Amino acid sequence: MITPLRPECLLSPEAEAAIDLARSLREALSGDDSLSETLKRLEGDGTRSPMRALDPAARDLIIGFETGGRAYYQKKLTRPNWPGFFSGVTIGFGYDLRSDDAARLAQAWGTILTPEPLGRLSAGCGLRGEKDTERIKEILGTVQDIVIPWEAAERVFLDQTLPRYRKLLLDHLPEIATAPPKCEGALLSLVFNRGAVFREEGDRFAEMREIRGLAETGQWEGIPARIRSMKRLWPQSPAPYGLQGRREAEALLFEEGLRERTSVVTALPLEPPPRPDPLAVAPSPGPTGSDISERSLPAPTDLSAPVSNVPTAPAAPPVPPAFPPVPAPAKWPEDAAPVAFRALPEAGSLTRNMPEGAEESTEPGEGDLALDRFMDGARGVMDFTQARASSYWPSRDETSTEYAHLATLGAPDSFELTPEAIEVLIAANRFDPEREQSIFALGIRGSFLTSDGHEAERRDRISLTETRPDHVHFKCTVGFYHRAEGKITLYAGSTVPCPYYMRNYHLRMTGKAHQTKEGCNLMPCGCYLSRVGTHSKGTIDPAVRTTDPVNPLADAWVTVLRSSSDVGFGTHDHWDRTQPYDNIHCSYYLNESPKHEAFFSSAGCTTVRGRKDSSTDQFGKFQKTLLQIGKGRRIDYLLLTGKEYALAAESLRPGGSGTPASSLTRLRTGSMGEEVRRLQQKLGFVGSGYFGASTKKALAEYQRSHGVTSDGIYSPDLDVKFQWNVFHLQTAGTLA
């Protein structure tokens, strides 16, 4: 069943034009007429052993360049199209019918399309642009009613198209089977775009022939330069969106594979390490085909032989290693247990003077410019299915710090939020939110009101639809849990930053011209001790202001996620322990702002739909509740994903077959208790039992250094992997 598509940011006209051109520049190959027969022969070859899993970084790179990203695909590619020049009728993710026949088309797409549209599409099989242009245009006019959603195209691409081209690569370059997965993935992208032209004659294919020679002699280190040298062929298609950008991304990915092969393994590779930035500024290109000689080639390297400092995997499945505790660096002070407080001094006296509309201090915190630039530049873009110029939310949950720990769990798209579901998650996350007035702020990242428009006030249940944020629309809900009354209030809002601040921060961190010195971050899910204060030099009064757990007169230190190498937030990005001033305030707009490219202005704060001075907008109603609570009083902020609430709701459904509530057990920002204390001791702290900014930072860095998804969230399954017995569990739960 295909899930509904989600709205995305659209690319600039310039970016779209560059992608249009790059898609049209497929090779006209002398052996193209026999490609269908070649693929058919390879698919019938039962002698080859099963292929290893395709590297995720390679998969995302190919999908990114073949589709231009989800936004571009949804705008231009959901219907059959012709990229131009030598291409044929194309559907889905670059599925070109020029090398297909009716039988293979039906085999690939028979589970997606019915026989009738398949029959119409089959008329385009074998047609090529340079000789069948008019016929292609005629066929396209008969198939424009056929719509292929992203999810369907992705399924065929991963299940049918990529395996075919991997076999084609292995048939022409069998040595690649001994290379690291990222190296194979880089050449797979090359073959997908240019074909397996490793023996074609002529200057145009000089680098391809040289790659074949390097692979046959084991001189792998010379291949990235040959990939870069091909940029000479496409001067009209520059980086980042064009074929020059694709060649640079492939070269970087190949180099990353070489580095991984020769690195020391210190722990089980629980997931592939992040890849380099495919859109980084390209180094000087290597020598062109005419400049390459045998004397310039590096010494041969046999990648099939084990490296001496890499332990050989045992025949039997290894027992997960016991991870030793690591001392917390001195710059991360111990997280102290929160103090109890009721009323504080007048809220205005607690507010740092900040520019109008600013969400963050200009100070970069511990994530100083050089460190942040190095961390992001070294790890690069984990999710390359969106163009660099547009903000994006990771298209795969596995690459999102907010959803990776839930990636294997299936949740319903729609659900009813009840007080019971909220209590399930409070208990599962070991939260203890402020109970003084039995009310706390609620943020649900990735959700919208199913049928209540922009608000639902004081309900005992609210219908929500689970989605993903996109940095543009109100795709989160924000409000209150009136605990004593068993009532819930939710308004349309956002819990993520907008494109303006994301792009500005990227430009600032990469030394380019930018407009403001404000920072930008993603505030991770958790439970944050907060107070009724003000925002933006007191001009938004009241607002919810994150507060230091020990000193209620100070703003909170929080470990947030920062990204500078791109304009998205993923598991590759840098965790920064800082004072981000991430508060809850108005969105400033009811409609999309041309300046901020979104319906809200935020560099990391949570926003509620509404203008600054309107008492009738949703934020005005939000403020009325804050005034009832009282200036300077404590109100904690519980921020979790819509998927977690959907799972919690499903666990409560009578006779439901959903995920049990025990599978939602987590330790994260705001967790409290003995389990937190045991985790802190494993991380080298004395242990206060309160999961604060230092614990988050230490856990995230420890996860990254041991090859585990760096999200700063501790689960029972991670407890089993680490053998730390924080939860005293003997078996894993349901998470991978």
Side-chain angles (χ1 to χ4, degrees):
M1 178 175 162
I2 299 171
T3 57
L5 298 177
R6 301 183 174 107
E8 302 286 349
C9 301
L10 297 180
L11 309 183
S12 67
E14 295 78 11
E16 289 184 0
I19 296 170
D20 289 343
L21 177 61
R23 292 187 65 244
S24 71
L25 295 176
R26 287 191 179 273
E27 301 284 352
L29 310 179
S30 61
D32 199 40
D33 292 328
S34 62
L35 179 58
S36 178
E37 292 303 316
T38 302
L39 290 171
K40 194 179 298 183
R41 172 178 60 80
L42 293 174
E43 288 170 352
D45 180 7
T47 61
R48 190 181 301 280
S49 59
M51 292 184 292
R52 59 186 170 183
L54 178 63
D55 181 80
R59 173 193 61 201
D60 290 352
L61 185 151
I62 297 171
I63 290 177
F65 278 109
E66 285 298 318
T67 67
R70 183 186 280 247
Y72 180 92
Y73 180 89
Q74 290 177 198
K75 182 176 181 180
K76 293 194 170 188
L77 305 182
T78 57
R79 302 175 191 273
N81 58 88
W82 177 47
F85 292 94
F86 301 107
S87 297
V89 175
T90 302
I91 59 177
F93 290 2
Y95 193 99
D96 194 334
L97 272 61
R98 68 174 177 168
S99 57
D100 235 341
D101 57 30
R104 294 180 67 253
L105 175 65
Q107 178 186 355
W109 290 90
T111 60
I112 304 296
L113 299 173
T114 60
E116 193 277 329
L118 277 173
R120 284 185 282 146
L121 283 171
S122 66
C125 291
L127 301 181
R128 294 194 304 174
E130 81 281 14
K131 62 184 182 66
D132 303 309
T133 301
E134 293 306 316
R135 178 60 178 151
I136 288 175
K137 291 180 179 179
E138 179 184 335
I139 293 171
L140 285 177
T142 68
V143 294
Q144 289 306 295
D145 60 317
I146 301 173
V147 177
I148 301 175
W150 173 279
E151 288 81 1
E154 184 178 43
R155 185 195 312 168
V156 172
F157 185 77
L158 297 177
D159 294 346
Q160 301 287 338
T161 311
L162 274 185
R164 288 167 53 189
Y165 278 86
R166 290 184 77 186
K167 291 177 180 178
L168 186 66
L169 171 63
L170 289 166
D171 187 63
H172 286 76
L173 207 67
E175 295 82 8
I176 197 65
T178 67
K182 281 184 170 59
C183 297
E184 179 194 349
L187 293 188
L188 177 61
S189 173
L190 185 64
V191 166
F192 199 94
N193 177 243
R194 297 201 66 189
V197 289
F198 298 107
R199 286 179 167 80
E200 292 287 325
E201 298 299 326
D203 178 67
R204 184 172 185 81
F205 305 105
E207 291 90 352
M208 297 293 285
R209 294 194 302 272
E210 289 157 358
I211 287 174
R212 175 174 60 85
L214 292 168
E216 289 175 347
T217 56
Q219 299 176 95
W220 302 100
E221 290 86 348
I223 290 180
R226 275 51 174 195
I227 297 175
R228 289 190 173 99
S229 177
M230 295 182 205
K231 295 178 187 179
R232 66 184 176 86
L233 301 173
W234 302 285
Q236 77 278 41
S237 186
Y241 308 105
L243 292 183
Q244 290 189 358
R246 183 166 185 164
R247 296 294 90 88
E248 180 62 27
E250 291 160 353
L252 288 169
L253 185 63
F254 199 100
E255 290 170 338
E256 181 69 13
L258 294 177
R259 286 193 294 270
E260 288 180 10
R261 178 60 178 169
T262 57
S263 64
V264 178
V265 176
T266 58
L268 280 178
L270 300 178
E271 65 172 22
R275 69 174 183 275
D277 184 355
L279 300 180
V281 177
S284 300
T288 62
S290 59
D291 296 329
I292 297 174
S293 67
E294 291 298 323
R295 289 190 300 274
S296 69
L297 298 179
T301 301
D302 182 7
L303 293 184
S304 63
V307 180
S308 58
N309 61 353
V310 179
T312 303
V319 177
F323 288 69
V326 286
K331 66 177 182 179
W332 301 336
E334 188 89 19
D335 285 326
V339 299
F341 69 86
R342 293 175 181 267
L344 297 173
E346 186 63 26
S349 66
L350 306 175
T351 305
R352 180 186 179 114
N353 290 330
M354 299 173 66
E356 173 71 19
E359 281 78 15
E360 283 208 356
S361 161
T362 58
E363 298 298 323
E366 293 173 0
D368 60 81
L369 304 189
L371 174 62
D372 207 4
R373 192 178 307 146
F374 169 77
M375 294 292 288
D376 275 334
R379 294 187 173 91
V381 182
M382 173 67 77
D383 187 284
F384 185 55
T385 60
Q386 295 295 329
R388 185 182 189 126
S390 294
S391 61
Y392 70 91
W393 187 267
S395 63
R396 295 187 300 113
D397 283 351
E398 293 86 350
T399 63
S400 166
T401 56
E402 303 302 282
Y403 290 92
H405 66 109
L406 305 167
T408 62
L409 302 179
D413 292 336
S414 299
F415 63 96
E416 284 202 333
L417 179 66
T418 62
E420 291 78 12
I422 298 174
E423 295 293 345
V424 164
L425 291 180
I426 289 175
N429 286 275
R430 306 329 192 227
F431 293 149
D432 187 20
E434 169 62 19
R435 297 168 182 261
E436 178 191 350
Q437 300 191 47
S438 294
I439 182 172
F440 50 86
L442 202 61
I444 306 179
R445 175 169 285 160
S447 67
F448 60 86
L449 295 164
T450 303
S451 58
D452 291 302
H454 301 301
E455 62 185 61
E457 296 185 300
R458 292 186 178 271
R459 308 277 185 85
D460 55 6
R461 58 185 61 240
I462 297 176
S463 295
L464 292 174
T465 298
E466 197 253 331
T467 184
R468 297 293 178 272
D470 65 0
H471 299 285
V472 176
H473 304 91
F474 294 121
K475 302 187 77 173
C476 307
T477 47
V478 186
F480 301 100
Y481 175 31
H482 310 269
R483 199 173 198 175
E485 304 173 35
K487 300 293 183 182
I488 308 167
T489 293
L490 288 178
Y491 304 108
S494 177
T495 65
V496 299
C498 66
Y500 172 80
Y501 286 106
M502 296 169 69
R503 187 174 299 112
N504 184 81
Y505 186 71
H506 163 69
L507 294 172
R508 173 188 167 204
M509 288 297 170
T510 51
K512 299 181 178 66
H514 54 279
Q515 294 180 300
T516 79
K517 293 184 178 180
E518 305 308 326
C520 185
N521 75 86
L522 180 69
M523 186 178 186
C525 289
C527 186
Y528 294 90
L529 191 149
S530 305
R531 65 180 184 268
V532 179
T534 66
H535 180 76
S536 186
K537 290 174 42 175
T539 61
I540 300 179
D541 183 8
V544 175
R545 196 168 186 88
T546 50
T547 301
D548 186 276
V550 177
N551 181 8
L553 298 179
D555 291 303
W557 283 81
V558 181
T559 292
V560 298
L561 193 64
R562 295 193 190 274
S563 176
S564 63
S565 67
D566 62 346
V567 283
F569 295 94
T571 51
H572 63 286
D573 282 316
H574 171 53
W575 289 104
D576 182 19
R577 183 184 178 278
T578 184
Q579 283 183 295
Y581 307 99
D582 284 348
N583 306 317
I584 304 179
H585 60 78
C586 64
S587 65
Y588 293 96
Y589 311 109
L590 299 182
N591 299 303
E592 185 169 358
S593 160
K595 174 184 177 181
H596 292 97
E597 306 170 58
F599 286 73
F600 53 89
S601 170
S602 169
C605 288
T606 292
T607 56
V608 178
R609 183 181 184 273
R611 295 157 293 189
K612 185 172 65 173
D613 299 317
S614 173
S615 61
T616 59
D617 293 342
Q618 283 70 44
F619 184 69
K621 298 175 182 180
F622 183 89
Q623 286 182 303
K624 289 178 182 178
T625 300
L626 295 183
L627 290 173
Q628 293 171 4
I629 294 171
K631 292 281 194 70
R633 288 192 174 274
R634 175 173 170 177
I635 174 170
D636 290 356
Y637 176 35
L638 176 59
L639 172 63
L640 293 171
T641 65
K643 183 172 183 177
E644 286 166 286
Y645 279 107
L647 290 167
E650 186 68 9
S651 74
L652 293 169
R653 188 167 61 86
S657 57
T659 300
S662 59
S663 295
L664 299 174
T665 298
R666 301 289 186 273
L667 299 181
R668 66 208 318 171
T669 301
S671 297
M672 301 179 69
E674 187 58 33
E675 292 162 328
V676 175
R677 191 188 315 278
R678 288 196 291 269
L679 173 62
Q680 290 171 326
Q681 290 170 349
K682 291 293 184 180
L683 292 170
F685 294 105
V686 174
S688 66
Y690 175 71
F691 195 122
S694 294
T695 306
K696 178 81 171 183
K697 174 77 171 179
L699 176 59
E701 292 300 313
Y702 186 80
Q703 288 171 318
R704 193 185 300 281
S705 67
H706 287 80
V708 180
T709 298
S710 179
D711 58 9
I713 299 172
Y714 198 75
S715 67
D717 286 304
L718 195 57
D719 198 35
V720 173
K721 291 180 188 294
F722 284 5
Q723 295 187 355
W724 281 358
N725 293 321
V726 167
F727 295 107
H728 293 305
L729 298 179
Q730 300 302 315
T731 58
T734 61
L735 298 180

